[in-house]
């Protein structure tokens, strides 16, 4: 088992948790297998308590972060990818020890853009069974923006969120971007 882990390369993409919450809320509405919770405030409280599929977001990210010196993990932030996808692709290539030509790099950056992925049936899941996703209730790749939580959360909800997550998030080895204008 130990030998297998030596060759394992893990790429972990983290996103600011308020945008994760909003994205997860919208996904839960279109997922046929998940309980649909119409009230965002109730969904947020479940998310903060880890009473959603996948459990507590903080436990997940802290668990992987704690292994960063034991496993071969590249941590990327979604917000960094949005800001400069080309640099993120180059980080991935460096991590995987893969060299690309400028043409290959440009092609990957183009195809990995949110605009291209949102219309590609292989990445937006539009070919998925209606027994899994109900596309009348939303899109799998919805907006792809940074800071969209501000359009969904009230000031009181944001403050509640911070009161639960802030202290533990400050201990993580990376800082989250909360708004596209922070770049």
């Amino acid at each position: 088992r130990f030998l297998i882990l030596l060759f394992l390369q893990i790429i972990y993409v983290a996103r600011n948790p308020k945008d994760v919450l909003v994205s997860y809320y919208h996904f839960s509405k279109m997922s046929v297998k998940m309980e649909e919770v119409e009230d965002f405030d109730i969904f947020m409280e479940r998310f903060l308590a880890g009473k959603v599929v996948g459990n507590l977001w903080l436990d997940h990210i802290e668990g992987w972060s704690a292994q960063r010196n034991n496993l071969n993990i590249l941590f990327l932030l979604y917000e960094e990818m949005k800001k400069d996808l080309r640099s993120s692709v180059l980080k991935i290539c460096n991590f995987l020890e893969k060299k690309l030509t400028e043409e290959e790099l440009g092609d990957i950056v183009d195809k990995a853009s949110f605009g291209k992925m949102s219309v590609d049936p292989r990445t937006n899941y539009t070919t998925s069974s209606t027994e899994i996703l109900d596309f009348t209730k939303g899109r799998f790749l919805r907006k792809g923006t940074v800071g969209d939580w501000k359009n969904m959360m009230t000031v009181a909800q944001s403050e509640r969120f911070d009161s639960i997550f802030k202290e533990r998030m400050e201990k993580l080895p990376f800082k989250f971007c909360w708004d596209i204008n922070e770049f």
Side-chain angles (χ1 to χ4, degrees):
R1 179 177 170 180
F2 178 73
L3 292 175
I4 294 170
L5 291 176
L6 286 176
F7 299 106
L8 187 64
Q9 292 175 295
I10 301 164
I11 300 173
Y12 188 109
V13 179
R15 187 177 189 187
N16 90 57
K18 290 180 182 179
D19 279 336
V20 168
L21 165 63
V22 170
S23 180
Y24 194 16
Y25 171 72
H26 288 288
F27 174 76
S28 73
K29 291 168 80 170
M30 65 182 291
S31 174
V32 175
K33 303 289 183 184
M34 293 174 66
E35 175 190 0
E36 185 175 345
V37 179
E38 282 296 326
D39 185 284
F40 179 73
D41 202 48
I42 292 171
F43 189 85
M44 184 182 92
E45 289 302 321
R46 288 182 184 177
F47 181 86
L48 291 173
K51 296 188 185 304
V52 293
V53 175
N55 301 318
L56 186 63
W57 174 87
L58 263 170
D59 288 346
H60 190 272
I61 199 165
E62 284 175 340
W64 281 100
S65 177
Q67 293 301 318
R68 69 186 176 277
N69 296 324
N70 301 327
L71 298 173
N72 194 8
I73 304 174
L74 171 65
F75 284 92
L76 293 175
L77 295 177
Y78 178 81
E79 295 80 8
E80 289 176 347
M81 294 171 67
K82 287 294 291 184
K83 178 183 178 185
D84 187 354
L85 184 56
R86 186 178 194 281
S87 291
S88 295
V89 171
L90 287 171
K91 282 182 188 177
I92 293 168
C93 288
N94 186 50
F95 177 70
L96 299 174
E97 299 176 1
K98 177 76 174 162
K99 297 208 183 302
L100 298 175
T101 66
E102 279 300 316
E103 184 179 334
E104 291 169 327
L105 177 62
D107 189 46
I108 289 170
V109 169
D110 178 58
K111 289 178 178 163
S113 71
F114 186 85
K116 288 284 175 86
M117 290 182 70
S118 68
V119 296
D120 186 336
R122 296 170 297 178
T123 55
N124 70 17
Y125 293 96
T126 53
T127 58
S128 292
S129 166
T130 56
E131 295 176 11
I132 298 171
L133 297 173
D134 181 354
F135 285 100
T136 66
K137 295 183 178 182
R139 298 171 39 120
F140 182 77
L141 294 175
R142 197 175 60 86
K143 287 186 177 179
T145 60
V146 175
D148 190 47
W149 63 270
K150 292 179 180 181
N151 297 319
M152 187 80 178
M153 296 176 78
T154 65
V155 171
Q157 288 170 332
S158 178
E159 289 172 353
R160 167 87 175 123
F161 190 101
D162 291 344
S163 74
I164 303 295
F165 275 15
K166 187 175 183 180
E167 185 178 319
R168 285 176 65 185
M169 282 192 324
E170 288 175 349
K171 295 176 184 172
L172 292 171
F174 32 82
K175 299 299 173 218
F176 293 101
C177 173
W178 301 98
D179 187 299
I180 194 72
N181 296 321
E182 289 181 13
F183 291 121

